Amino acid sequence: MLFGSLNDVPLTEDATDGWSYDADAHALVLHGEARDRLRRGDVRRIAVGFGCAPVDCEPRPEVCNGLDEDCDRRGLPHVAGRRAR
């Protein structure tokens, strides 16, 4: 499962207003308001993940394992983005 967010706000998989995956180009494609926000420069943070969808975080002491135990959304690995269409 793929999932993503703009400025830490989750995006829905929606070819009208959200994102879709272009398998031929190996790219996530933004649509509607999500694409417009990126083009206007309103987006400062893009996150894309593969695997289980994020769940509500329950803070606990941070451990050096690549997870965000303290729920501050810092220090997590990110997938390099591709250009928007």
Side-chain angles (χ1 to χ4, degrees), residues 40-59:
R40 283 193 308 263
D42 297 341
V43 176
R44 299 288 177 238
R45 178 179 165 88
I46 299 173
V48 177
F50 175 79
C52 298
V55 296
D56 289 336
C57 192
E58 294 181 27

Side-chain angles (χ1 to χ4, degrees), residues 8 17 23 30 32 34-36 42 46 50 54-55 61 67 69 73 75 78-81 83:
D8 298 321
D17 189 20
L30 297 179
R35 180 194 59 225
D36 296 344
D42 297 341
I46 299 173
F50 175 79
V55 296
L67 302 177
E69 284 95 0
R73 298 179 187 230
H78 299 287
V79 176
R83 63 183 166 86

Side-chain angles (χ1 to χ4, degrees), residues 11-80:
L11 290 172
T12 57
E13 184 175 1
D14 183 334
T16 302
D17 189 20
W19 64 270
S20 63
Y21 181 70
D22 181 339
D24 293 332
H26 304 288
L28 225 77
V29 181
L30 297 179
H31 306 278
E33 183 61 22
R35 180 194 59 225
D36 296 344
R37 288 177 56 212
L38 184 64
R39 286 182 174 168
R40 283 193 308 263
D42 297 341
V43 176
R44 299 288 177 238
R45 178 179 165 88
I46 299 173
V48 177
F50 175 79
C52 298
V55 296
D56 289 336
C57 192
E58 294 181 27
R60 57 184 187 264
E62 190 77 46
V63 178
C64 185
N65 61 4
L67 302 177
D68 184 26
E69 284 95 0
D70 64 0
C71 305
D72 67 357
R73 298 179 187 230
R74 294 185 314 197
L76 298 176
H78 299 287
V79 176

